[in-house]
Amino acid sequence: MTSVIDGKAVAASVLEECRAEVAELKAKGTVPGLAVVLVGDDPASHVYVGSKVRTCADLGLHSEKIVLPAETTQEELIAVVQRLNADPAIHGILVQSPPPKHIDEEAVVRAIDPRKDVDGFHPENVAKLALEDPTGFVPCTPAGCMRLLAAAGVKTAGAEAVVIGRSMIVGKPMALLLMAKGSDATVTVAHSRSKDLPAICRRADIIVAAVGRPEMVKADWMKEGAVVIDVGINRIDDPSTKKGYRLVGDVAYDEVAPKCSAITPVPGGVGPMTIALLIKNTLQAARQLG
Amino acid sequence: MTSVIDGKAVAASVLEECRAEVAELKAKGTVPGLAVVLVGDDPASHVYVGSKVRTCADLGLHSEKIVLPAETTQEELIAVVQRLNADPAIHGILVQSPPPKHIDEEAVVRAIDPRKDVDGFHPENVAKLALEDPTGFVPCTPAGCMRLLAAAGVKTAGAEAVVIGRSMIVGKPMALLLMAKGSDATVTVAHSRSKDLPAICRRADIIVAAVGRPEMVKADWMKEGAVVIDVGINRIDDPSTKKGYRLVGDVAYDEVAPKCSAITPVPGGVGPMTIALLIKNTLQAARQLG
């Protein structure tokens, strides 16, 4: 009996929590505000930003979508960030990734006031995550994975968790969250240089796949009854579809799912959580900024 | 055939590297300087600080030992730190731990200019470690463990490493160092809430024990031929000794050593590395501050 973890439903329930928090904040005189900055005209980025702004509107947050031309200089972008840092109507600032190549993304992230860094990528928030300081902002994707585990009733304490991938966007923060006091998992971080990844995964009670390789994790990589969180979203060619491609995760879903106790689908698993946690972080920022 | 990793010898060779670097810095007109601040009269702290200052003198670094009375307030201590932050003769600042109980150690660490934070505990350096930014300062003990592994010729790439302990002083930074690009180990962080710690350790090619529990790691916790780095230094009663106690690690050395390919003794393993890496960090600070 495999339970399919419904990311849309869990995200919706997080957003309902957020709706209540927005009402509380408004009752205290604060309208939480999120600014999303987009440089250039990447169509996928426009779709993401559009849905963030719509979610804000639906929940009663103030939001600003700031679209800058592709030729915007780094100085100009940082000037926009600094204006937003100083704007009391804005509690969360997000610069949509990836920016055009002439922009140093790290420098832009450092320019964001860490108290408004709702993406959780500023070094100050990276440190707070490692130091288990709850005033920091946790990156949205790993925070979303933790919510999915909780929603599925997965006990992390003492469990063997294997995180595949060591990026600062997902792998490392995910490992830090799982090993933190209160979560208390025994965490292994595996990656492209790991030997015998299948054997490493087979000892896991919880697998988090975040490598960006389509359908890499196979059924024989898994212990019967494990929980699988699939962070990957990969396009693979599929001439049978209208678009000519379909989306698959890092996990070979069809063969893996029957062996799992619970698994997230792609799409509809981790994906929908990201916006929900972004809103959650924005409300945290609004509360902390007072 | 067990190789005993001689921490004193490795530390001495690191210090000889430092001696050459000091000469280079001096040739360029910089005398590297370390300030060690000690609050109160804890005898062990005085011993540690004394040996740091003597090592500086031996290598030709400038050093300052600042001893403040136990009743020093937090504000007074932070004022001292700020004076040192502004002092161009000082490149590294260390406030000896633990301070008296009325002092908020975290606030003191945050007051240190991160460019002079040679202990590597400032949030900015914690973040740089996670982000694999080599301009940051790595905490001395885990950095020393990495040097011991290198000196013993241990290949970390693809190896299974198990770190027992998840503190920010040793466990987490050690895990981050081992999983970083270039080290490329598959890293498991285990801790007091892990289930079946012996089984977890038995799969390790490299075990780093940093829990502070005397002789916890036993021979049957280990795979034949594993490498063991013992960070623990625990006093246990021993009426047969003059002092009435002896020092043991977190590893039951006598039974574990015969199964290892290499192991650090206690004392004489990790311990001597700490000062050597502190000096190394101070020289890095002096170079970076220019």
Side-chain angles (χ1 to χ4, degrees), chain B residues 132-234:
Chain B
E132 302 183 19
D133 177 341
T135 66
F137 297 102
V138 177
C140 299
T141 299
C145 294
M146 292 302 289
R147 290 294 297 240
L148 289 173
L149 288 171
V154 176
K155 299 261 181 296
T156 54
E160 287 260 4
V162 171
V163 177
I164 318 175
R166 54 178 163 171
S167 76
M168 269 318 298
I169 313 288
V170 186
K172 282 185 191 171
M174 190 73 216
L176 289 168
L177 288 169
L178 283 163
M179 80 177 65
K181 292 209 175 69
S183 297
D184 296 317
T186 300
V187 184
T188 299
V189 178
H191 45 77
S192 57
R193 299 291 305 273
S194 291
K195 271 183 210 153
D196 204 353
L197 208 42
I200 293 166
C201 289
R202 270 193 293 273
R203 63 197 191 209
D205 303 307
I206 300 165
I207 295 177
V208 180
V211 268
R213 294 184 54 184
E215 301 182 324
M216 183 178 72
V217 178
K218 309 293 186 196
D220 66 350
W221 291 34
M222 300 193 42
K223 180 160 80 177
E224 195 80 37
V227 174
V228 173
I229 305 289
D230 189 351
V231 181
I233 303 183
N234 312 286

Side-chain angles (χ1 to χ4, degrees), chain A residues 141 145 170 174 208-212 229-233 249-251 264 266 270-271:
Chain A
T141 299
C145 295
V170 185
M174 191 73 216
V208 180
V211 268
I229 304 289
D230 189 351
V231 181
I233 303 185
D250 292 347
V251 175
T264 60
V266 175
V270 175

Side-chain angles (χ1 to χ4, degrees), chain B residues 21-33 60 88 91 285-287 289-290:
Chain B
E21 288 174 42
V22 169
E24 262 176 59
L25 279 160
K26 283 185 172 171
K28 289 181 188 155
T30 302
V31 179
H91 305 96
R287 277 196 310 275
L289 288 162

